[in-house]
Amino acid sequence: MEAVTIKDIARMAGVSCATVSRVLNGSPTVTPELRERILELCRRHGYRRNLLARGLSSGRTNLVGCILSDLDNPLFADMALALERFLRLRGYHLFLCRGRVEDGNIGRLFEFLIGHRVDGIILASSSRQAPELIRRYIQYIPIVLQGGLSDSHPDLDIPSVYVDSEAGGRAAAEYLFRLGHTRVAYLGARENNYSHLARQRGFTGAAERLGMSVRTFSNEAYSSTMEVGYHLARRFFLDPFQETAVFAACDTIALGVMSAAREFHVAIPGDISLLGFDNIIYAGFPHIRLSTLDHQARQVVETAADRLLAQIEHPEAACTQPVMIPPVLVQRDTCKPRR
Amino acid sequence: MEAVTIKDIARMAGVSCATVSRVLNGSPTVTPELRERILELCRRHGYRRNLLARGLSSGRTNLVGCILSDLDNPLFADMALALERFLRLRGYHLFLCRGRVEDGNIGRLFEFLIGHRVDGIILASSSRQAPELIRRYIQYIPIVLQGGLSDSHPDLDIPSVYVDSEAGGRAAAEYLFRLGHTRVAYLGARENNYSHLARQRGFTGAAERLGMSVRTFSNEAYSSTMEVGYHLARRFFLDPFQETAVFAACDTIALGVMSAAREFHVAIPGDISLLGFDNIIYAGFPHIRLSTLDHQARQVVETAADRLLAQIEHPEAACTQPVMIPPVLVQRDTCKPRR
DNA sequence: CTGTTAGCGCCTTCAA
DNA sequence: TTGAAGGCGCTAACAG
């Protein structure tokens, strides 16, 4: 049960720990045969590096922390997966933590990750409170925000990467306009969320310019679940409506709308067109075929990670210019021309 | 940027590091005023424990590793969440890793977690290969399998906690029988998965005893996604069928069946009844209302974690008796009496 | 190419 | 109640 240490191997090989360490770290300055002999000993005795010791003495752990609010949102699950893959290719491991920025003890999570000496942190959140939170810790550790910033006062001092929600909102309005819709609804607006705010602004702004009318239904919750979408849609369907199209703040909301629509015998896209945002895996599913804007999740995640690693590996070359990735319209079966 | 250490605090307080350490660890043998003074200094200077050093020297990290194959399966996402909550209450943190037991380099993941000196590992998997894998590492670290074992050769030497799939399968058959169904289909059987195997055995066994006919559709993939369910159901619906009820291996499969059913204009439960397994969050959703067997995910997870912590905290009191949790039938709207 | 030495930050005896 | 000293396992100069 007692773990084999570098010292044990050194003794068995009749060399010093330094040499064993060198072999383990792939230093080229070791005689090939010695290297082989040591490696063989390690294998035979099941030697396993103590990563705590390594981290402590080297000052680096090759660990990247990521904080996100939700794992049940398929978009976040995808992002976590993409992040892990990308990090692995770059020689890092992911330390995934669940935590909402709005939570009182989110600070603990940062303390925890910093305490474990992760090399950097990605905070996936578009919450209004995110920038302030980051500012509190970025003096101690590289952090990248993966999520939106305010447009009126963009926090330009913190590095961030996010989907261009405003452009997405605009594209949504233009697309629906091209299909002939002039009365539309926006479901799921979140006040606390910069990304949603931008989406809404892009959408309503473009819609108004195009002479469309927009009715907005806000989501007071701190998350955008299918369930929220369902209840919003219920409110929408309950009264007579003139709109011919709905733009949902995100796909989970849209799925909730589809559920409610079925219950209310509202045909999609027969009676009303529906457009989502994110392109989660379910959106492309045979029966669903939701038209939506692709979040470019992989690209967003990889760009964020890339910036973080750059920051970690070259702290001097700081660059905090926000990066925005344009979403991509995916036309499927839930939007059709208004006849 | 340089982190404050215990030594800095000690110097500022004019005491030794040992005293600071004692305060940090809540030792009662320190003068209250001294304690306060030290705590204040820690606060003022933003002292943060180095968890690597702590782990290295104390031999414990209060970290529990968990390996699971999927985050996009809502059941697993729920489990991860429940696990994290439970661990937190017990003073531990979760180190979540994604990895399939069937993957060639799953061993790396174990090495990684052990290297980080997590105090124990929960492996969430019902794969046939899981027991062998665990046996390889359990000599180095406490491990609990959260997933099924073989019934013919139950690996009684490894601690495990899982839902009683066989009883669930039996209950499913009996329920459908009570509703008058005599010809049923089982969709999504996985050869490689002990849990699915047990589910199938329980179902077909009971069905045969009750004089029902069962047609089985196997899932060759290593996961049970909605997509798999969709394709299985397509195969089922494509030819004329006599069955009046379908038992899906799990809810994601069942959701896929519902999708396909809509495409093929098969009414549920009008033309065919559908029963799932797991009771994922979507199953209870207004429009879906899937009848299913609740996996008791929280209880399973907490029991598994509890056993692991027991193992960690009292290594001598080993007990490897497998624990099975009976699933609970949830009657909703997708099963109805055969007329 | 290899060994020696000195930490990394913390915990934990053992003394005082 | 507190301090001194050694060690956890590994890395990283600096010598040789």
Side-chain angles (χ1 to χ4, degrees), chain B residues 37-92:
Chain B
R37 197 152 57 82
I38 290 178
L39 252 23
E40 177 52 28
L41 280 169
C42 289
R43 246 174 269 128
R44 183 157 48 241
H45 295 85
Y47 168 77
R48 222 170 344 242
R49 239 199 195 98
N50 184 325
L51 266 13
L52 298 181
R54 179 181 161 83
L56 178 60
S57 85
S58 73
R60 301 199 356 77
T61 54
N62 281 22
L63 242 35
V64 165
C66 175
I67 299 177
L68 44 71
S69 59
D70 249 326
L71 281 176
D72 16 296
N73 187 323
L75 177 68
F76 289 158
D78 279 1
M79 285 179 161
L81 185 59
L83 179 57
E84 188 237 298
R85 290 231 169 89
F86 181 80
L87 289 177
R88 183 149 27 94
L89 292 177
R90 299 280 300 259
Y92 287 78

Side-chain angles (χ1 to χ4, degrees), chain A residues 256-277:
Chain A
V257 173
M258 292 181 90
S259 260
R262 232 169 271 128
E263 199 171 311
F264 284 74
H265 303 292
V266 173
I268 295 176
D271 297 325
I272 200 155
S273 285
L274 177 63
L275 182 61
F277 197 115

